[in-house]
Amino acid sequence: MEEIRRAAEAYYKNLSEEKKRNARFSFNEMDIDGDGRINPHEYVEYLKKDNNTVLTHPSLFTALDKDGNGSLDFEETIVLYYIMQSGRALFCQSCNTFLADVYFSCFQCFCLDESPSTYDLCCDCYGGKRFTHHDDAIFWDNYALLSQSRSLALEAPVQKRRNVLEKIVTGMVVGGACLVSSSGCSIM
């Protein structure tokens, strides 16, 4: 989780002042009792209201709670904001824990299938062979998969890459998760 936390902090530092205000507004909206901390009930209620029920999994709240005090302060919710903006809310397909660090994905599901799932697994489930997937599955860790995907993308003609990039950017604007509900949405 520390890598995601560091990425979230860097992301937040580079936001415009308006987007930082939006993040603070969202925190205040989530903090129903106004005590400056988000308890698990406030967290779940806010996310349900915004139809982000996948993020209500207890393992994510626990991972966000860096100091382990059972609630989230503003700095801890910056990580949630980043996860929502980046689409980084991934859970192991086998044990259903939040994938905070290196994880494995099925290459075929990631690149070849029309499936919305990339069949992601935590290192424990993958290494312990605690999963069931198609027999010819090839699994790569997320860093190798990103590197290989870039290599494959660079083999495509430049115009085709531009068209794909345009679709990705449009998809992020149209379908991207948004923590800020009433004051606008910022997309990475």
Side-chain angles (χ1 to χ4, degrees), residues 140-154:
W140 288 352
D141 72 66
N142 53 315
Y143 296 108
L145 191 59
L146 179 62
S147 177
Q148 185 62 28
S149 298
R150 177 164 167 43
S151 297
L152 291 171
L154 290 175

Side-chain angles (χ1 to χ4, degrees), residues 78-96:
I78 291 300
V79 181
L80 175 64
Y81 187 79
Y82 172 74
I83 288 168
M84 293 177 76
Q85 296 302 309
S86 67
R88 181 62 177 80
L90 300 173
F91 294 85
C92 177
Q93 294 288 321
S94 182
C95 69
N96 205 30

Side-chain angles (χ1 to χ4, degrees), residues 19-148:
K19 290 178 182 177
K20 287 179 181 178
R21 282 190 301 275
N22 289 343
R24 178 58 78 170
F25 175 83
S26 296
F27 175 82
N28 292 338
E29 195 173 69
M30 200 180 317
D31 185 15
I32 297 167
D33 63 11
D35 67 352
R37 308 207 54 82
I38 309 303
N39 64 47
H41 174 74
E42 291 171 320
Y43 172 83
V44 169
E45 288 305 309
Y46 180 82
L47 292 171
K48 282 182 179 177
K49 181 185 78 168
D50 277 359
N51 293 321
N52 284 314
T53 55
V54 69
L55 300 176
T56 62
H57 194 279
S59 68
L60 180 55
F61 185 88
T62 301
L64 291 170
D65 185 14
K66 182 179 181 178
D67 59 16
N69 68 354
S71 63
L72 306 177
D73 59 27
F74 180 69
E75 286 71 30
E76 291 166 325
T77 62
I78 291 300
V79 181
L80 175 64
Y81 187 79
Y82 172 74
I83 288 168
M84 293 177 76
Q85 296 302 309
S86 67
R88 181 62 177 80
L90 300 173
F91 294 85
C92 177
Q93 294 288 321
S94 182
C95 69
N96 205 30
T97 59
F98 176 66
L99 297 172
D101 295 309
V102 175
Y103 60 90
F104 288 84
S105 295
C106 173
F107 176 75
Q108 291 95 324
C109 293
F110 186 87
C111 293
L112 307 174
D113 289 351
E114 301 272 333
S115 170
S117 171
T118 54
Y119 204 84
D120 305 311
L121 297 168
C122 68
C123 291
D124 290 340
C125 289
Y126 180 68
K129 298 183 180 184
R130 293 189 302 266
F131 65 94
T132 304
H133 201 44
H134 55 87
D135 290 337
D136 63 339
I138 300 168
F139 284 89
W140 288 352
D141 72 66
N142 53 315
Y143 296 108
L145 191 59
L146 179 62
S147 177
Q148 185 62 28

Side-chain angles (χ1 to χ4, degrees), residues 6-17 19-20:
R6 286 183 25 230
E9 289 169 3
Y11 172 72
Y12 181 77
K13 286 178 183 177
N14 284 283
L15 288 176
S16 68
E17 289 306 313
K19 290 178 182 177
K20 287 179 181 178

